[in-house]
mmCIF file of all heavy atoms in Angstrom:
data_model
loop_
_atom_site.group_PDB
_atom_site.id
_atom_site.type_symbol
_atom_site.label_atom_id
_atom_site.label_comp_id
_atom_site.label_asym_id
_atom_site.label_seq_id
_atom_site.Cartn_x
_atom_site.Cartn_y
_atom_site.Cartn_z
ATOM 1 N N ARG V 5 -1.486 8.550 -13.723
ATOM 2 C CA ARG V 5 -0.800 9.321 -12.693
ATOM 3 C C ARG V 5 0.718 9.189 -12.848
ATOM 4 O O ARG V 5 1.224 8.202 -13.384
ATOM 5 C CB ARG V 5 -1.205 8.843 -11.300
ATOM 6 C CG ARG V 5 -2.688 9.035 -11.012
ATOM 7 C CD ARG V 5 -3.024 8.736 -9.553
ATOM 8 N NE ARG V 5 -4.446 8.875 -9.292
ATOM 9 C CZ ARG V 5 -5.075 10.022 -9.048
ATOM 10 N NH1 ARG V 5 -4.381 11.157 -9.029
ATOM 11 N NH2 ARG V 5 -6.378 10.059 -8.816
ATOM 12 N N THR V 6 1.431 10.194 -12.371
ATOM 13 C CA THR V 6 2.897 10.137 -12.334
ATOM 14 C C THR V 6 3.332 9.133 -11.266
ATOM 15 O O THR V 6 2.526 8.656 -10.462
ATOM 16 C CB THR V 6 3.494 11.502 -11.989
ATOM 17 O OG1 THR V 6 3.139 11.831 -10.641
ATOM 18 C CG2 THR V 6 2.990 12.583 -12.941
ATOM 19 N N SER V 7 4.620 8.851 -11.228
ATOM 20 C CA SER V 7 5.154 7.938 -10.214
ATOM 21 C C SER V 7 4.946 8.492 -8.810
ATOM 22 O O SER V 7 4.905 7.736 -7.833
ATOM 23 C CB SER V 7 6.639 7.679 -10.472
ATOM 24 O OG SER V 7 7.367 8.902 -10.470
ATOM 25 N N ALA V 8 4.776 9.817 -8.709
ATOM 26 C CA ALA V 8 4.515 10.449 -7.411
ATOM 27 C C ALA V 8 3.035 10.493 -7.079
ATOM 28 O O ALA V 8 2.640 10.992 -6.012
ATOM 29 C CB ALA V 8 5.095 11.862 -7.393
ATOM 30 N N GLY V 9 2.200 10.014 -7.986
ATOM 31 C CA GLY V 9 0.766 9.966 -7.726
ATOM 32 C C GLY V 9 -0.016 11.166 -8.219
ATOM 33 O O GLY V 9 -1.222 11.281 -7.970
ATOM 34 N N ASN V 10 0.614 12.078 -8.949
ATOM 35 C CA ASN V 10 -0.074 13.271 -9.440
ATOM 36 C C ASN V 10 -0.910 12.960 -10.681
ATOM 37 O O ASN V 10 -0.509 12.161 -11.530
ATOM 38 C CB ASN V 10 0.937 14.371 -9.768
ATOM 39 C CG ASN V 10 1.713 14.813 -8.546
ATOM 40 O OD1 ASN V 10 1.143 14.983 -7.464
ATOM 41 N ND2 ASN V 10 3.016 14.985 -8.691
ATOM 42 N N PHE V 11 -2.033 13.636 -10.799
ATOM 43 C CA PHE V 11 -2.931 13.444 -11.943
ATOM 44 C C PHE V 11 -2.274 13.901 -13.245
ATOM 45 O O PHE V 11 -1.652 14.965 -13.295
ATOM 46 C CB PHE V 11 -4.230 14.224 -11.722
ATOM 47 C CG PHE V 11 -5.158 14.209 -12.914
ATOM 48 C CD1 PHE V 11 -6.037 13.162 -13.114
ATOM 49 C CD2 PHE V 11 -5.131 15.249 -13.839
ATOM 50 C CE1 PHE V 11 -6.879 13.149 -14.217
ATOM 51 C CE2 PHE V 11 -5.976 15.246 -14.940
ATOM 52 C CZ PHE V 11 -6.855 14.187 -15.127
ATOM 53 N N VAL V 12 -2.419 13.105 -14.285
ATOM 54 C CA VAL V 12 -1.967 13.491 -15.628
ATOM 55 C C VAL V 12 -3.161 13.624 -16.559
ATOM 56 O O VAL V 12 -3.363 14.669 -17.179
ATOM 57 C CB VAL V 12 -0.959 12.472 -16.204
ATOM 58 C CG1 VAL V 12 -0.514 12.915 -17.607
ATOM 59 C CG2 VAL V 12 0.245 12.316 -15.304
ATOM 60 N N ALA V 13 -3.958 12.573 -16.682
ATOM 61 C CA ALA V 13 -5.052 12.585 -17.654
ATOM 62 C C ALA V 13 -6.015 11.445 -17.363
ATOM 63 O O ALA V 13 -5.730 10.526 -16.586
ATOM 64 C CB ALA V 13 -4.499 12.466 -19.073
ATOM 65 N N ARG V 14 -7.161 11.507 -18.035
ATOM 66 C CA ARG V 14 -8.132 10.414 -18.001
ATOM 67 C C ARG V 14 -8.096 9.685 -19.340
ATOM 68 O O ARG V 14 -7.980 10.318 -20.400
ATOM 69 C CB ARG V 14 -9.544 10.934 -17.745
ATOM 70 C CG ARG V 14 -9.779 11.452 -16.328
ATOM 71 C CD ARG V 14 -11.197 11.958 -16.154
ATOM 72 N NE ARG V 14 -11.452 12.397 -14.785
ATOM 73 C CZ ARG V 14 -11.932 11.609 -13.829
ATOM 74 N NH1 ARG V 14 -12.223 10.338 -14.107
ATOM 75 N NH2 ARG V 14 -12.148 12.070 -12.606
ATOM 76 N N GLY V 15 -8.201 8.363 -19.279
ATOM 77 C CA GLY V 15 -8.159 7.591 -20.506
ATOM 78 C C GLY V 15 -8.956 6.315 -20.404
ATOM 79 O O GLY V 15 -9.615 6.054 -19.393
ATOM 80 N N LEU V 16 -8.896 5.520 -21.473
ATOM 81 C CA LEU V 16 -9.583 4.233 -21.528
ATOM 82 C C LEU V 16 -8.543 3.125 -21.608
ATOM 83 O O LEU V 16 -7.606 3.195 -22.411
ATOM 84 C CB LEU V 16 -10.536 4.186 -22.730
ATOM 85 C CG LEU V 16 -11.651 5.245 -22.717
ATOM 86 C CD1 LEU V 16 -12.513 5.116 -23.972
ATOM 87 C CD2 LEU V 16 -12.506 5.148 -21.458
ATOM 88 N N PHE V 17 -8.735 2.117 -20.797
ATOM 89 C CA PHE V 17 -7.775 1.038 -20.575
ATOM 90 C C PHE V 17 -8.036 -0.123 -21.531
ATOM 91 O O PHE V 17 -9.175 -0.461 -21.822
ATOM 92 C CB PHE V 17 -7.912 0.572 -19.124
ATOM 93 C CG PHE V 17 -6.950 -0.491 -18.689
ATOM 94 C CD1 PHE V 17 -5.670 -0.155 -18.273
ATOM 95 C CD2 PHE V 17 -7.320 -1.830 -18.665
ATOM 96 C CE1 PHE V 17 -4.775 -1.124 -17.840
ATOM 97 C CE2 PHE V 17 -6.441 -2.811 -18.236
ATOM 98 C CZ PHE V 17 -5.164 -2.466 -17.824
ATOM 99 N N ASN V 18 -6.948 -0.742 -21.999
ATOM 100 C CA ASN V 18 -7.082 -1.962 -22.806
ATOM 101 C C ASN V 18 -5.822 -2.803 -22.651
ATOM 102 O O ASN V 18 -4.808 -2.551 -23.293
ATOM 103 C CB ASN V 18 -7.325 -1.632 -24.284
ATOM 104 C CG ASN V 18 -7.624 -2.875 -25.108
ATOM 105 O OD1 ASN V 18 -7.669 -3.989 -24.585
ATOM 106 N ND2 ASN V 18 -7.843 -2.688 -26.396
ATOM 107 N N ASN V 19 -5.907 -3.802 -21.814
ATOM 108 C CA ASN V 19 -4.754 -4.661 -21.540
ATOM 109 C C ASN V 19 -4.412 -5.542 -22.736
ATOM 110 O O ASN V 19 -3.312 -6.085 -22.820
ATOM 111 C CB ASN V 19 -5.042 -5.533 -20.313
ATOM 112 C CG ASN V 19 -3.803 -6.200 -19.772
ATOM 113 O OD1 ASN V 19 -2.801 -5.542 -19.516
ATOM 114 N ND2 ASN V 19 -3.852 -7.514 -19.615
ATOM 115 N N HIS V 20 -5.343 -5.662 -23.693
ATOM 116 C CA HIS V 20 -5.112 -6.500 -24.876
ATOM 117 C C HIS V 20 -4.240 -5.787 -25.909
ATOM 118 O O HIS V 20 -3.594 -6.425 -26.727
ATOM 119 C CB HIS V 20 -6.464 -6.873 -25.505
ATOM 120 C CG HIS V 20 -6.363 -7.852 -26.618
ATOM 121 N ND1 HIS V 20 -6.475 -9.216 -26.432
ATOM 122 C CD2 HIS V 20 -6.136 -7.674 -27.943
ATOM 123 C CE1 HIS V 20 -6.331 -9.828 -27.598
ATOM 124 N NE2 HIS V 20 -6.133 -8.915 -28.525
ATOM 125 N N SER V 21 -4.237 -4.453 -25.854
ATOM 126 C CA SER V 21 -3.584 -3.640 -26.878
ATOM 127 C C SER V 21 -2.175 -3.239 -26.462
ATOM 128 O O SER V 21 -1.854 -3.133 -25.276
ATOM 129 C CB SER V 21 -4.414 -2.381 -27.138
ATOM 130 O OG SER V 21 -3.755 -1.493 -28.011
ATOM 131 N N LYS V 22 -1.316 -2.978 -27.474
ATOM 132 C CA LYS V 22 0.000 -2.411 -27.189
ATOM 133 C C LYS V 22 -0.141 -1.025 -26.581
ATOM 134 O O LYS V 22 0.706 -0.582 -25.801
ATOM 135 C CB LYS V 22 0.833 -2.344 -28.467
ATOM 136 C CG LYS V 22 1.272 -3.708 -28.997
ATOM 137 C CD LYS V 22 2.113 -3.553 -30.249
ATOM 138 C CE LYS V 22 2.565 -4.903 -30.779
ATOM 139 N NZ LYS V 22 3.357 -4.770 -32.032
ATOM 140 N N ILE V 23 -1.202 -0.316 -26.958
ATOM 141 C CA ILE V 23 -1.513 0.974 -26.335
ATOM 142 C C ILE V 23 -2.365 0.667 -25.111
ATOM 143 O O ILE V 23 -3.567 0.443 -25.214
ATOM 144 C CB ILE V 23 -2.250 1.912 -27.309
ATOM 145 C CG1 ILE V 23 -1.420 2.137 -28.582
ATOM 146 C CG2 ILE V 23 -2.541 3.254 -26.632
ATOM 147 C CD1 ILE V 23 -2.138 2.944 -29.646
ATOM 148 N N LEU V 24 -1.730 0.635 -23.948
ATOM 149 C CA LEU V 24 -2.416 0.212 -22.733
ATOM 150 C C LEU V 24 -3.522 1.186 -22.348
ATOM 151 O O LEU V 24 -4.602 0.781 -21.901
ATOM 152 C CB LEU V 24 -1.410 0.089 -21.589
ATOM 153 C CG LEU V 24 -1.939 -0.525 -20.292
ATOM 154 C CD1 LEU V 24 -2.310 -1.991 -20.495
ATOM 155 C CD2 LEU V 24 -0.899 -0.395 -19.170
ATOM 156 N N VAL V 25 -3.263 2.494 -22.525
ATOM 157 C CA VAL V 25 -4.259 3.524 -22.219
ATOM 158 C C VAL V 25 -4.270 4.544 -23.352
ATOM 159 O O VAL V 25 -3.212 5.006 -23.791
ATOM 160 C CB VAL V 25 -3.945 4.254 -20.889
ATOM 161 C CG1 VAL V 25 -5.052 5.253 -20.562
ATOM 162 C CG2 VAL V 25 -3.757 3.259 -19.752
ATOM 163 N N ARG V 26 -5.459 4.878 -23.821
ATOM 164 C CA ARG V 26 -5.633 5.997 -24.755
ATOM 165 C C ARG V 26 -6.200 7.166 -23.952
ATOM 166 O O ARG V 26 -7.220 7.012 -23.259
ATOM 167 C CB ARG V 26 -6.570 5.630 -25.903
ATOM 168 C CG ARG V 26 -5.976 4.600 -26.860
ATOM 169 C CD ARG V 26 -6.990 4.236 -27.936
ATOM 170 N NE ARG V 26 -6.523 3.131 -28.763
ATOM 171 C CZ ARG V 26 -5.993 3.260 -29.975
ATOM 172 N NH1 ARG V 26 -5.848 4.472 -30.501
ATOM 173 N NH2 ARG V 26 -5.601 2.211 -30.658
ATOM 174 N N LEU V 27 -5.581 8.322 -24.073
ATOM 175 C CA LEU V 27 -5.946 9.479 -23.260
ATOM 176 C C LEU V 27 -6.905 10.405 -24.015
ATOM 177 O O LEU V 27 -6.767 10.621 -25.223
ATOM 178 C CB LEU V 27 -4.690 10.256 -22.864
ATOM 179 C CG LEU V 27 -3.633 9.458 -22.086
ATOM 180 C CD1 LEU V 27 -2.421 10.322 -21.815
ATOM 181 C CD2 LEU V 27 -4.209 8.887 -20.800
ATOM 182 N N TYR V 28 -7.854 10.979 -23.241
ATOM 183 C CA TYR V 28 -8.871 11.843 -23.848
ATOM 184 C C TYR V 28 -9.079 13.153 -23.080
ATOM 185 O O TYR V 28 -9.404 14.166 -23.681
ATOM 186 C CB TYR V 28 -10.209 11.098 -23.926
ATOM 187 C CG TYR V 28 -10.144 9.854 -24.783
ATOM 188 C CD1 TYR V 28 -9.886 8.611 -24.226
ATOM 189 C CD2 TYR V 28 -10.308 9.928 -26.163
ATOM 190 C CE1 TYR V 28 -9.805 7.476 -25.004
ATOM 191 C CE2 TYR V 28 -10.233 8.793 -26.962
ATOM 192 C CZ TYR V 28 -9.968 7.566 -26.370
ATOM 193 O OH TYR V 28 -9.877 6.445 -27.158
ATOM 194 N N SER V 29 -8.925 13.135 -21.774
ATOM 195 C CA SER V 29 -9.198 14.338 -20.975
ATOM 196 C C SER V 29 -8.031 14.634 -20.054
ATOM 197 O O SER V 29 -7.567 13.749 -19.324
ATOM 198 C CB SER V 29 -10.471 14.133 -20.136
ATOM 199 O OG SER V 29 -10.641 15.206 -19.232
ATOM 200 N N TRP V 30 -7.578 15.895 -20.074
ATOM 201 C CA TRP V 30 -6.497 16.334 -19.187
ATOM 202 C C TRP V 30 -7.050 17.196 -18.050
ATOM 203 O O TRP V 30 -6.321 17.905 -17.385
ATOM 204 C CB TRP V 30 -5.438 17.073 -19.995
ATOM 205 C CG TRP V 30 -4.560 16.126 -20.749
ATOM 206 C CD1 TRP V 30 -3.313 15.682 -20.382
ATOM 207 C CD2 TRP V 30 -4.855 15.442 -21.975
ATOM 208 N NE1 TRP V 30 -2.829 14.781 -21.296
ATOM 209 C CE2 TRP V 30 -3.744 14.605 -22.296
ATOM 210 C CE3 TRP V 30 -5.949 15.431 -22.835
ATOM 211 C CZ2 TRP V 30 -3.714 13.803 -23.421
ATOM 212 C CZ3 TRP V 30 -5.918 14.619 -23.961
ATOM 213 C CH2 TRP V 30 -4.816 13.817 -24.246
ATOM 214 N N ASP V 31 -8.348 17.101 -17.853
ATOM 215 C CA ASP V 31 -9.037 17.825 -16.776
ATOM 216 C C ASP V 31 -9.557 16.796 -15.774
ATOM 217 O O ASP V 31 -10.443 15.994 -16.098
ATOM 218 C CB ASP V 31 -10.187 18.645 -17.358
ATOM 219 C CG ASP V 31 -10.867 19.541 -16.336
ATOM 220 O OD1 ASP V 31 -10.720 19.264 -15.123
ATOM 221 O OD2 ASP V 31 -11.559 20.487 -16.741
ATOM 222 N N GLU V 32 -9.012 16.819 -14.571
ATOM 223 C CA GLU V 32 -9.391 15.817 -13.564
ATOM 224 C C GLU V 32 -10.874 15.891 -13.234
ATOM 225 O O GLU V 32 -11.490 14.891 -12.853
ATOM 226 C CB GLU V 32 -8.558 16.013 -12.293
ATOM 227 C CG GLU V 32 -8.671 14.859 -11.311
ATOM 228 C CD GLU V 32 -7.641 14.944 -10.197
ATOM 229 O OE1 GLU V 32 -6.908 15.961 -10.119
ATOM 230 O OE2 GLU V 32 -7.559 13.977 -9.411
#
């Protein structure tokens, strides 16, 4: 989400990786 709380995309989270979220879907 944006800083205003708006939807951007759906992704998969990984706190271990430098890439914190990988994005796959831009459809809420």
Side-chain angles (χ1 to χ4, degrees):
R5 297 188 182 278
T6 67
S7 58
N10 298 317
F11 174 85
V12 180
R14 289 180 177 269
L16 299 179
F17 183 83
N18 186 1
N19 194 52
H20 187 93
S21 174
K22 290 181 180 178
I23 303 175
L24 188 66
V25 184
R26 291 177 187 259
L27 302 177
Y28 298 94
S29 172
W30 282 261
D31 186 340
E32 192 169 6

